[in-house]
Amino acid sequence: MKIQHQTGQAAYSSGGFIGKYQKLVSETVIPYQYAVLNDKAEGAEKSHVVRNFINAGRAVRGEDTGDGFYGMVFQDSDAAKWIEAAAYSLRNFPDPVLEKQVDDLIDIIAAAQDEDGYLNTYFTIKDKEKRWTNILEAHELYCAGHMIEAACACCEALGKRKLLDVMLKNVSHIYKVFVEDKHGGFPGHPEIELALMKMYRLTGDRKCLELAEYFINTRGCDTDYYKRECEARKWQVWGNDPGNGDYQQSAVPLRKASDAVGHAVRAVYLYTGMADLAAETGDSELYDACVRLWNSITKRQMYVTGGIGSTVHGEAFSTDFDLPPDTAYAETCASIGLMFFASRMLENEVKGEYADVMEQAFFNTVLAGMQLDGKRFFYVNPLEVVPGISGKVQTQKHDLTQRPGWYACACCPPNAARLISSFGKYAYGESADTAYCHLFAAGSVSFENGIQLSCETEYPYGFTVKYKVSGNGNVAVRIPAWSKQFTLTVNGSPVNAEPANGYVYIPVAGSSEIVLTLDGTPRFVYASPKIPRLTGFAAVCRGPLVYCFEGVDNGGDVLSLRLDTSGEITVSDEPETLGGTVKLGVPALRTAQTDELYTSQRPAQTACTAYAVPYCTWGNRGENQMRVWIPTAK
Amino acid sequence: MKIQHQTGQAAYSSGGFIGKYQKLVSETVIPYQYAVLNDKAEGAEKSHVVRNFINAGRAVRGEDTGDGFYGMVFQDSDAAKWIEAAAYSLRNFPDPVLEKQVDDLIDIIAAAQDEDGYLNTYFTIKDKEKRWTNILEAHELYCAGHMIEAACACCEALGKRKLLDVMLKNVSHIYKVFVEDKHGGFPGHPEIELALMKMYRLTGDRKCLELAEYFINTRGCDTDYYKRECEARKWQVWGNDPGNGDYQQSAVPLRKASDAVGHAVRAVYLYTGMADLAAETGDSELYDACVRLWNSITKRQMYVTGGIGSTVHGEAFSTDFDLPPDTAYAETCASIGLMFFASRMLENEVKGEYADVMEQAFFNTVLAGMQLDGKRFFYVNPLEVVPGISGKVQTQKHDLTQRPGWYACACCPPNAARLISSFGKYAYGESADTAYCHLFAAGSVSFENGIQLSCETEYPYGFTVKYKVSGNGNVAVRIPAWSKQFTLTVNGSPVNAEPANGYVYIPVAGSSEIVLTLDGTPRFVYASPKIPRLTGFAAVCRGPLVYCFEGVDNGGDVLSLRLDTSGEITVSDEPETLGGTVKLGVPALRTAQTDELYTSQRPAQTACTAYAVPYCTWGNRGENQMRVWIPTAK
């Protein structure tokens, strides 16, 4: 069954756990990022993003371009992601100063658009002649995609069309280049596909749909395209190997693809666009390919934290069951992209597993990406760090023990900001007569089908979710797969509902109260013995939260702990810890330290309690050991 | 107490387990390598080693150099290692055809020496002007070192001086360049230091000693030398970073060094030369540095197999306790070098731990380097392989599941060949009145102090070692640390001897029979909880042999096994398996496979017996899973 994409974000506001993060984004992340874009953030590297647009505007008007272009070839996308985050955030927290900043930046961007609709500061400032000559590396279509998403957000959330008109003109230009003039290539870094689908749904502009279709249908068909382009162009950005079809997901036509490969962020952005297109056109062959790719990711290549792309080499998928916790890449943006993909799969088919993974990625890897104060970010999300090794040895240089500040390549922080600010888009969906509750978050939402709903919950720390509903039709509430049991009452009466594909469907008329209680019993989680790195280990979870063991809670030494999985896990509220959290106490054995590197003396083991905190909060209390997976003693 | 280096290899011959390997080297490895050197080995890559010497001889005589130089900059060393292996092997297995091949090759090499004593085909053929301008990368001193070792072997084992005279002249030239003419610099790839010490001991030539001292004492003092060299030379071989002092062990003066760093083979070759020099000169400051480096390697950075250099990045030491089994580098040559270092530490001080490590490296990593048929070799010795991941994903590309044939960079096979052929040099040592038995091997040896000894044993599969001794003085027999108990009889009477520093000292007069029985009970081995990758795991050993679990013995699936370390390990003779071996049966649990990647359902476990074979024999029965370290269930 096909359901509509929840464009009704405009009518969504949240409180509770998610609301706190949204407030943090509004109060800390967005203002800081604005300062960065304008080179006014203390201690941050020069960004030059806004100057690039100003200087490109001068180029368009034939004026001197001042201090020219500076930064990465995809520098423009930082502005786009910031606008998108700000637009969604303004719906939650109106702020005339911020709104003016957005409007002013859009004016600057609009002025940087060439007469023919082209918009990219790198090429406009540096070399107009090189436009569209390096689709493999130069991120022109990637930057356009992000700006299209920003334009959609301004329209949806703020009702402002200026950027939308700019980007419709830009799409017209791109359509001419690729579809009418038969340029021949497809995006080196996919992203525009999903953006075009978003704009198509918002505006009905057929060129958006056709261009997305064109990019998805041609990708991987002409496998020599990048090689020919590379030979013809005589210039390069990164020196990408044009023959590495796996890296850029172009080794096989997408409809034939069965394994998720290559750069993980690019992959999930692309698969999101595919799923969007399949949902929109009812293309079942394309959806079947999406299902294969989904299974490849979530059943064979995903960390328990919802992290994907396990290897630093190419920031990429590795191979089935190769999921090392300590050398993990698991980029924050890749898990954000996985949420996109999951949300679009839900539009093709309402299945709990899609929402389960969306939730798993969000509450673990995505949230772990951000410091609790909103000021520092992880791009890489290992499931184990050991100071002295992590971040130090060559194989784990990328696995930092502490979140660094703003990077020159600032992809993850604004990506997290736009996602968190638009959480309602992922939490809810709708069809003509049904309101879907995919994720649990305090707040209220008005569906276009007339149903209104408000939600009270302490989730993910509390497991009762209370919905007040008005309107007629159905409310479909997801029962997460991790909840072994649940209870449901409707207007105070217990209801025995069997979930269908992970959802219970509750007919509603007038005013109703639905109370769902999920199973918040902490649980041990075991990995398939096909994952070499996790044999003999267990993790601990509660609700959607994966927990981790940090040195600070365990006498400084996590490595010598082994879990007794035959015991009971205890739960304790810790309002003073990590901004308010729930700690778990796990029966464990501690192995005695030895002077020897190896010994045939069976090491002494002492019973103890090991303490765990949510993985999304790790690394907030100084450098220390951290492990999600712990060896089991029994 | 200082003991003499066992130069009496000439009088040593072995049988039993070691003899079988020596025979394999004599019958298979040496002839094959000779064919390779002469480009007559079917299927092997072009080597051109002998042609290089022939062509260099033409250059010396001012003739046309024919097909010039081909191969790596250190190609000459292949010839040197082959001559060394052949010379030692000829003592064990006289063979006039092989002896003539050695003589002829030495004639060709001698003809390639320049009048001033210089000998290196790369520079002689390609560019004489570039001699000594790239000490960092060009391996001139490394090649000279190997040829010096070959010269010593020919003299010691065959009583032939021709190559020795060539190399004494060569050393004179190098001495002039570095000591007299103050060239500056020290070997990019250490090796010549230990070779010079060998030649000094054999010939008494003071220049050898002084040159070794010079290289060891100046190393790491002028930390900018390589940078200046790099700037001055304007050409490069590999593009090594001249500022990477750790990689080339030149960041600190060697006497101050406390951590083993950088390229592992270079490191242990260098430390061997240091220990040689310390033993020879009684330089206790230098010996103290050696002890620190020894401890850094063996107490914090060594695999249970005696493998060292855990990372592929620079084929190098990583950092303390970073010992991943699956991404291991653990080069065969590095363990050979560790044996060199251990043997020289024994000359400074007779301590069981030096011989223990020498044995650990030999019976595990060194022997694992060679296929049982002597035809294929591992350079890299992982402690775990999983087909589909190992040798395939970027992080484990180097960890092959099967031994490949001859490489273009052919360092390990001839290195193993020369070591195995000269096993007696490592097994025995002597002082004026004592014969030291460091390692156990069937065979006989005549010490220069007049003691003669023959040894019968099935070691490492049998644990009774019977010595027939004639002569007066002491026999010092090592009691390995792994042997929790032992019995000793002398001439049939039980002797209660307490080991001193790992050795029992037995006075002998006339004819004596000493029978030592070690503890062959298989044992579980546990790693320090400081090694993150080995927490919760155990290995299984018997005597000096580390065992491993291969798919072929365990229903194709090793990953789902967990060991019950509270149970008893059983022993079974398997004369038909792997050329005759002893298999161990270990009580274990097998975890059921699941369809899910992660599950909170505690997986079913079934009691079973897991079977293990010696690690040194792994990978001889086709591609399959292999693990040394297995999770423990109890």
Side-chain angles (χ1 to χ4, degrees):
Chain A
M1 188 203 55
K2 189 182 137 189
I3 63 166
Q4 195 183 337
H5 189 58
Q6 175 47 28
T7 51
Q9 154 69 9
Y12 172 74
S13 79
S14 74
F17 182 88
I18 303 299
K20 262 169 68 177
Y21 275 96
Q22 291 184 331
K23 196 149 180 272
L24 189 66
V25 166
S26 162
E27 291 179 355
T28 303
V29 182
I30 289 173
Y32 183 76
Q33 292 182 2
Y34 186 72
V36 170
L37 298 181
N38 287 279
D39 296 314
K40 286 176 181 164
E42 233 173 283
E45 281 182 57
K46 177 171 151 180
S47 139
H48 214 254
V49 169
V50 175
R51 301 277 330 152
N52 286 340
F53 279 104
I54 291 171
N55 293 341
R58 290 179 174 147
V60 164
R61 296 190 298 277
E63 300 167 13
D64 179 86
T65 58
D67 54 0
F69 181 90
Y70 174 87
M72 302 273 187
V73 70
F74 50 79
Q75 208 79 350
D76 290 2
S77 63
D78 285 359
K81 283 191 268 187
W82 180 82
I83 292 172
E84 192 183 349
Y88 289 132
S89 187
L90 279 166
R91 279 313 297 185
N92 303 325
F93 308 99
D95 172 353
V97 175
L98 177 60
E99 190 159 346
K100 180 158 191 321
Q101 288 170 342
V102 172
D103 290 342
D104 290 349
L105 181 53
I106 289 173
D107 289 343
I108 292 170
I109 291 168
Q113 182 169 42
D114 223 327
E115 272 184 30
D116 61 0
Y118 186 85
L119 175 63
N120 184 295
T121 71
Y122 179 88
F123 290 92
T124 298
I125 295 171
K126 290 181 77 133
D127 194 344
K128 215 172 144 170
E129 296 306 309
K130 285 189 177 152
R131 283 176 178 188
W132 310 123
T133 61
N134 189 348
I135 307 302
L136 176 62
E137 301 179 315
H139 288 64
E140 280 163 294
L141 295 169
Y142 170 85
C143 289
H146 272 301
M147 203 59 85
I148 291 167
E149 287 200 272
C152 293
C154 290
C155 182
E156 264 186 54
L158 306 178
K160 296 192 174 178
R161 278 198 62 104
K162 179 161 185 177
L163 191 56
L164 195 70
D165 291 333
V166 167
M167 294 317 293
L168 280 169
K169 185 172 172 190
N170 181 249
V171 167
S172 230
H173 168 77
I174 297 172
Y175 183 89
K176 179 169 188 305
V177 171
F178 285 85
V179 180
E180 291 172 4
D181 297 347
K182 298 188 172 28
H183 174 285
F186 35 84
H189 191 317
E191 139 69 20
I192 196 169
E193 300 84 348
L194 75 90
L196 288 166
M197 289 308 300
K198 216 178 241 192
M199 192 146 75
Y200 169 67
R201 286 164 169 184
L202 193 66
T203 65
D205 187 298
R206 294 285 306 173
K207 281 184 181 170
C208 294
L209 177 68
E210 286 171 26
L211 191 53
E213 272 184 315
Y214 174 81
F215 285 142
I216 288 169
N217 288 336
T218 57
R219 190 172 200 90
C221 295
D222 176 359
T223 52
D224 284 337
Y225 171 78
Y226 288 132
K227 285 186 214 158
R228 292 196 311 274
E229 177 187 273
C230 184
E231 274 160 34
R233 73 174 123 94
K234 318 266 184 243
W235 68 284
Q236 64 172 47
V237 182
W238 321 99
N240 285 14
D241 172 7
N244 190 348
D246 272 353
Y247 176 78
Q248 52 244 5
Q249 298 88 30
S250 63
V252 292
L254 293 180
R255 283 161 197 279
K256 306 281 181 206
S258 52
D259 292 302
V261 294
H263 188 273
V265 175
R266 300 178 190 212
V268 281
Y269 282 9
L270 175 63
Y271 305 155
T272 301
M274 287 167 68
D276 262 334
L277 184 62
E280 195 56 40
T281 60
D283 181 336
S284 65
E285 186 192 41
L286 193 59
Y287 179 60
D288 288 346
C290 290
V291 170
R292 289 194 303 272
L293 294 165
W294 173 265
N295 290 337
S296 167
I297 294 173
T298 63
K299 300 196 182 354
R300 302 193 296 272
Q301 300 197 77
M302 184 178 74
Y303 287 101
V304 71
T305 52
I308 58 170
S310 68
T311 180
V312 65
H313 299 283
E315 307 175 329
F317 289 105
S318 170
T319 193
D320 290 354
F321 309 113
D322 182 33
L323 294 161
D326 53 353
T327 62
Y329 199 76
E331 188 178 337
T332 308
C333 286
S335 287
I336 291 171
L338 179 60
M339 291 182 65
F340 299 163
F341 185 25
S343 73
R344 305 319 193 271
M345 291 302 274
L346 275 173
E347 289 169 30
N348 281 277
E349 203 174 353
V350 179
K351 282 178 74 174
E353 69 168 284
Y354 298 139
D356 285 350
V357 167
M358 188 160 70
E359 179 174 70
Q360 193 175 2
F362 179 76
F363 280 105
N364 300 295
T365 298
V366 175
L367 289 186
M370 188 158 74
Q371 189 92 350
L372 287 175
D373 64 6
K375 290 180 178 161
R376 300 169 78 85
F377 295 85
F378 277 134
Y379 291 59
V380 170
N381 297 281
L383 283 77
E384 169 172 319
V385 297
V386 176
I389 295 179
S390 303
K392 189 182 156 198
V393 304
Q394 196 59 45
T395 46
Q396 294 177 48
K397 272 256 156 72
H398 54 289
D399 292 294
L400 305 180
T401 59
Q402 299 271 279
R403 291 171 188 78
W406 198 264
Y407 282 32
C409 170
C411 60
C412 298
N415 220 356
R418 69 181 179 132
L419 179 94
I420 290 167
S421 302
S422 60
F423 188 79
K425 295 174 80 77
Y426 305 91
Y428 296 101
E430 65 179 294
S431 66
D433 63 354
T434 303
Y436 289 91
C437 302
H438 302 309
L439 306 179
F440 308 107
S444 58
V445 57
S446 301
F447 293 90
E448 292 180 3
N449 61 20
I451 296 174
Q452 300 217 349
L453 177 153
S454 77
C455 173
E456 279 175 42
T457 183
E458 302 293 318
Y459 198 85
Y461 290 129
F463 294 89
T464 298
V465 187
K466 189 184 291 179
Y467 293 105
K468 287 192 177 144
V469 184
S470 68
N472 305 323
N474 300 288
V475 174
V477 179
R478 167 178 151 257
I479 308 299
W482 52 256
S483 188
K484 291 299 168 210
Q485 50 203 14
F486 68 95
T487 61
L488 191 67
T489 66
V490 178
N491 298 325
S493 308
V495 171
N496 260 342
E498 268 303 300
N501 271 332
Y503 286 75
V504 288
Y505 289 79
I506 304 148
V508 290
S511 285
S512 320
E513 188 178 76
I514 299 170
V515 181
L516 173 70
T517 305
L518 296 167
D519 185 355
T521 313
R523 61 197 188 277
F524 292 102
V525 170
Y526 308 88
S528 161
K530 292 201 183 83
I531 305 179
R533 287 298 307 279
L534 302 182
T535 59
F537 285 71
V540 174
C541 298
R542 184 176 181 239
L545 297 175
V546 175
Y547 272 67
C548 71
F549 298 79
E550 286 198 277
V552 65
D553 299 311
N554 293 285
D557 176 10
V558 168
L559 294 180
S560 67
L561 291 173
R562 299 174 75 196
L563 303 184
D564 175 359
T565 59
S566 67
E568 292 291 314
I569 303 169
T570 59
V571 174
S572 64
D573 270 315
E574 302 263 345
E576 304 302 320
T577 305
L578 294 163
T581 190
V582 171
K583 225 183 234 187
L584 301 182
V586 188
L589 296 176
R590 188 177 286 284
T591 304
Q593 292 292 339
T594 55
D595 289 335
E596 293 163 297
L597 197 56
Y598 306 105
T599 175
S600 55
Q601 191 66 41
R602 204 171 171 198
Q605 301 201 82
T606 319
C608 68
T609 301
Y611 293 98
V613 296
Y615 173 77
C616 61
T617 66
W618 85 273
N620 275 281
R621 294 172 295 171
E623 182 175 74
N624 70 165
Q625 292 180 1
M626 183 280 287
R627 272 194 155 174
V628 169
W629 292 98
I630 302 269
T632 55
K634 279 178 190 168
Chain B
M1 188 203 56
K2 187 183 137 190
I3 62 165
Q4 194 185 339
H5 188 59
Q6 174 50 26
T7 51
Q9 152 70 9
Y12 172 76
S13 79
S14 72
F17 183 87
I18 304 299
K20 262 169 66 178
Y21 276 95
Q22 292 184 330
K23 196 147 179 273
L24 189 66
V25 167
S26 161
E27 291 179 354
T28 303
V29 182
I30 290 175
Y32 182 75
Q33 293 183 1
Y34 185 73
V36 170
L37 298 181
N38 287 279
D39 296 314
K40 287 178 179 160
E42 231 174 284
E45 281 182 58
K46 175 171 153 181
S47 140
H48 214 253
V49 168
V50 174
R51 301 280 327 155
N52 286 340
F53 281 104
I54 291 171
N55 294 341
R58 289 179 175 146
V60 165
R61 295 188 300 276
E63 300 166 14
D64 179 85
T65 58
D67 54 0
F69 181 89
Y70 174 88
M72 303 273 186
V73 69
F74 51 78
Q75 208 79 347
D76 290 3
S77 64
D78 284 358
K81 284 192 268 187
W82 179 81
I83 291 172
E84 192 185 349
Y88 289 132
S89 186
L90 280 166
R91 279 314 296 183
N92 303 326
F93 309 97
D95 172 354
V97 174
L98 176 60
E99 190 159 346
K100 180 157 191 324
Q101 287 170 343
V102 172
D103 291 341
D104 291 349
L105 181 53
I106 289 173
D107 290 342
I108 291 170
I109 291 169
Q113 182 169 41
D114 223 326
E115 272 182 31
D116 62 1
Y118 186 86
L119 175 64
N120 183 296
T121 71
Y122 179 87
F123 290 93
T124 299
I125 294 170
K126 292 182 76 134
D127 193 345
K128 216 171 144 173
E129 297 306 308
K130 284 189 178 152
R131 285 178 178 186
W132 309 123
T133 61
N134 189 347
I135 309 301
L136 176 61
E137 301 179 315
H139 288 63
E140 280 162 294
L141 295 168
Y142 169 86
C143 288
H146 272 301
M147 202 60 84
I148 290 168
E149 287 201 272
C152 294
C154 289
C155 182
E156 261 186 53
L158 307 177
K160 296 190 172 176
R161 278 196 62 105
K162 180 163 186 178
L163 190 56
L164 195 69
D165 292 331
V166 166
M167 294 317 294
L168 281 168
K169 186 174 171 188
N170 182 247
V171 167
S172 232
H173 168 76
I174 298 173
Y175 183 88
K176 180 171 185 306
V177 170
F178 284 86
V179 180
E180 293 172 5
D181 298 348
K182 299 188 171 29
H183 176 282
F186 30 84
H189 191 318
E191 141 67 22
I192 195 170
E193 300 86 346
L194 75 90
L196 288 165
M197 290 307 299
K198 217 179 242 192
M199 192 145 74
Y200 169 66
R201 286 165 168 183
L202 193 65
T203 65
D205 187 298
R206 295 285 306 174
K207 282 184 180 170
C208 294
L209 177 67
E210 287 171 28
L211 191 54
E213 273 184 314
Y214 172 82
F215 285 141
I216 287 170
N217 289 334
T218 58
R219 188 171 202 93
C221 296
D222 176 1
T223 51
D224 284 338
Y225 173 78
Y226 288 133
K227 285 185 213 156
R228 295 197 309 276
E229 177 188 272
C230 184
E231 276 161 31
R233 74 173 122 95
K234 319 262 183 247
W235 67 284
Q236 65 172 46
V237 182
W238 321 99
N240 285 14
D241 172 8
N244 189 349
D246 272 353
Y247 175 77
Q248 50 241 10
Q249 299 88 30
S250 63
V252 292
L254 292 181
R255 281 162 198 280
K256 307 281 183 207
S258 54
D259 292 302
V261 293
H263 188 273
V265 176
R266 298 177 191 213
V268 282
Y269 281 10
L270 175 63
Y271 306 155
T272 301
M274 287 167 69
D276 261 334
L277 184 62
E280 195 58 39
T281 61
D283 182 336
S284 64
E285 187 192 41
L286 194 60
Y287 179 60
D288 288 346
C290 290
V291 170
R292 290 195 302 273
L293 293 165
W294 174 265
N295 289 338
S296 166
I297 295 173
T298 63
K299 300 197 183 351
R300 304 193 294 274
Q301 301 196 73
M302 184 177 73
Y303 287 101
V304 72
T305 51
I308 58 171
S310 67
T311 180
V312 66
H313 300 282
E315 306 174 330
F317 289 105
S318 168
T319 194
D320 290 354
F321 309 114
D322 182 33
L323 293 162
D326 54 351
T327 62
Y329 200 75
E331 188 178 338
T332 308
C333 285
S335 288
I336 291 171
L338 180 59
M339 291 182 67
F340 298 164
F341 185 25
S343 75
R344 306 317 196 272
M345 292 303 274
L346 275 173
E347 290 169 28
N348 281 275
E349 204 175 352
V350 179
K351 283 177 75 174
E353 70 169 283
Y354 299 139
D356 284 350
V357 167
M358 188 160 70
E359 180 175 69
Q360 195 175 1
F362 179 76
F363 280 105
N364 300 295
T365 298
V366 175
L367 289 187
M370 188 159 74
Q371 189 91 351
L372 288 175
D373 64 7
K375 292 180 178 162
R376 301 168 78 87
F377 295 85
F378 276 133
Y379 292 61
V380 171
N381 296 281
L383 282 77
E384 170 173 318
V385 298
V386 176
I389 295 178
S390 304
K392 187 182 156 197
V393 303
Q394 196 61 43
T395 47
Q396 294 178 48
K397 272 256 156 71
H398 54 290
D399 292 294
L400 306 179
T401 58
Q402 299 273 277
R403 289 170 188 80
W406 198 264
Y407 280 34
C409 170
C411 61
C412 298
N415 219 356
R418 69 182 181 134
L419 178 94
I420 290 167
S421 301
S422 61
F423 189 78
K425 295 173 82 75
Y426 305 90
Y428 298 100
E430 65 178 293
S431 67
D433 64 354
T434 303
Y436 289 90
C437 303
H438 302 307
L439 305 178
F440 307 107
S444 58
V445 58
S446 300
F447 294 90
E448 291 179 5
N449 62 17
I451 295 173
Q452 301 217 349
L453 178 153
S454 77
C455 173
E456 279 175 42
T457 184
E458 301 294 318
Y459 196 84
Y461 290 128
F463 294 89
T464 298
V465 187
K466 189 183 291 179
Y467 294 105
K468 287 192 175 141
V469 185
S470 68
N472 305 321
N474 299 289
V475 173
V477 180
R478 168 178 151 258
I479 308 299
W482 53 256
S483 188
K484 292 300 166 209
Q485 49 201 17
F486 67 96
T487 60
L488 190 67
T489 67
V490 179
N491 299 323
S493 307
V495 171
N496 260 341
E498 267 305 298
N501 271 331
Y503 285 75
V504 289
Y505 289 78
I506 303 146
V508 289
S511 287
S512 319
E513 189 179 77
I514 301 170
V515 180
L516 173 70
T517 305
L518 296 166
D519 185 354
T521 314
R523 60 195 189 278
F524 291 104
V525 169
Y526 308 89
S528 161
K530 294 201 181 83
I531 305 178
R533 287 296 308 276
L534 301 182
T535 59
F537 285 71
V540 174
C541 297
R542 184 176 182 240
L545 297 175
V546 175
Y547 272 68
C548 70
F549 297 79
E550 287 198 275
V552 64
D553 300 310
N554 292 285
D557 175 10
V558 168
L559 295 179
S560 67
L561 291 173
R562 300 175 74 196
L563 303 185
D564 175 358
T565 60
S566 68
E568 294 289 314
I569 304 169
T570 58
V571 174
S572 64
D573 270 314
E574 301 264 347
E576 305 301 320
T577 305
L578 294 162
T581 191
V582 171
K583 225 183 234 187
L584 301 181
V586 188
L589 296 176
R590 188 177 288 284
T591 305
Q593 293 292 340
T594 56
D595 289 336
E596 293 164 297
L597 197 56
Y598 306 106
T599 174
S600 55
Q601 190 67 41
R602 203 169 173 202
Q605 302 200 80
T606 318
C608 68
T609 300
Y611 292 99
V613 296
Y615 173 76
C616 61
T617 66
W618 85 272
N620 275 281
R621 293 173 293 171
E623 181 174 76
N624 68 166
Q625 294 180 0
M626 184 280 289
R627 274 193 151 173
V628 170
W629 293 98
I630 302 268
T632 56
K634 284 182 186 163

